[in-house]
Amino acid sequence: MPKAQNVAAELRLTFHEYVVEGRAGYRFITKETTWLEVYGGIRFWDVQQNLSLTGPLGIVINSQATAGDTWIDPIIGLRGRYEFANGWGVVGQGDFGVFGVGSDLSWRLQGGIQRSFQNGLSLDLQYKALQADFDNGNTDASRFVWIVLQHGPLARISYRF
């Protein structure tokens, strides 16, 4: 009896996203280890997607369907820390990029708890949400739309010197 051949098709979507921020701020409230600052800066986005379809018997039907774009959002925001016990604090920040330069709208909210040590080391456990609403405005096959809300836990170790 002949052996059955694999006739299934496979559709695979891969993507990468890089988000890099640069910002500068001014602390207008500082009381020991409690502070509040306003900041401004940029958020750089690079999003690329690749779609591949492999047909029955491993025949490649379309191996190079790609889409993506890069853009920059100017941002303004507020961040701070409130120490409620020796070394323990609540931290948070939020910002908006609503200037129509890159995204139509982008924003970030995050907050959580922080443990700071006297040697400059800090440990953070936070929850973060980051959203972007981007459309490159093209009307042909190069149009790219990225409307995404990403959220989840964040753990960070930092050292201040």
Side-chain angles (χ1 to χ4, degrees):
M1 180 169 238
K3 187 176 182 180
Q5 294 187 357
N6 183 3
V7 293
E10 179 182 79
L11 181 65
R12 181 175 298 202
L13 173 65
T14 58
F15 76 94
H16 78 256
E17 173 189 46
Y18 298 104
V19 180
V20 179
E21 292 182 12
R23 61 181 186 250
Y26 174 73
R27 289 192 178 172
F28 58 93
I29 295 176
T30 302
K31 186 178 179 184
E32 297 175 14
T33 54
T34 296
W35 50 266
L36 190 62
E37 77 179 23
V38 63
Y39 64 88
I42 61 169
R43 182 177 295 129
F44 170 82
W45 299 79
D46 179 18
V47 179
Q48 303 298 323
Q49 302 174 359
N50 184 28
L51 180 66
S52 64
L53 176 62
T54 304
L57 307 175
I59 300 169
V60 176
I61 296 173
N62 183 359
S63 63
Q64 197 57 25
T66 60
D69 214 326
T70 58
W71 67 94
I72 293 176
D73 289 325
I75 57 173
I76 57 171
L78 192 66
R79 71 184 201 119
R81 180 179 194 274
Y82 174 75
E83 184 162 323
F84 59 85
N86 189 20
W88 290 93
V90 176
V91 292
Q93 73 182 62
D95 59 52
F96 289 94
V98 292
F99 305 103
V101 175
S103 301
D104 293 329
L105 169 69
S106 72
W107 58 266
R108 180 221 354 237
L109 287 174
Q110 71 185 66
I113 193 163
Q114 181 183 71
R115 174 66 170 120
S116 295
F117 301 94
Q118 296 210 358
N119 64 1
L121 185 69
S122 295
L123 305 173
D124 289 69
L125 292 176
Q126 299 184 34
Y127 196 84
K128 178 178 180 178
L130 177 63
Q131 192 268 343
D133 182 351
F134 174 80
D135 185 338
N136 67 6
N138 295 346
T139 57
D140 57 9
S142 65
R143 182 174 185 204
F144 181 73
V145 177
W146 185 253
I147 303 172
V148 175
L149 171 61
Q150 304 167 75
H151 57 93
L154 167 74
R156 175 175 43 209
I157 299 172
S158 59
Y159 181 75
R160 181 176 293 266
F161 54 93

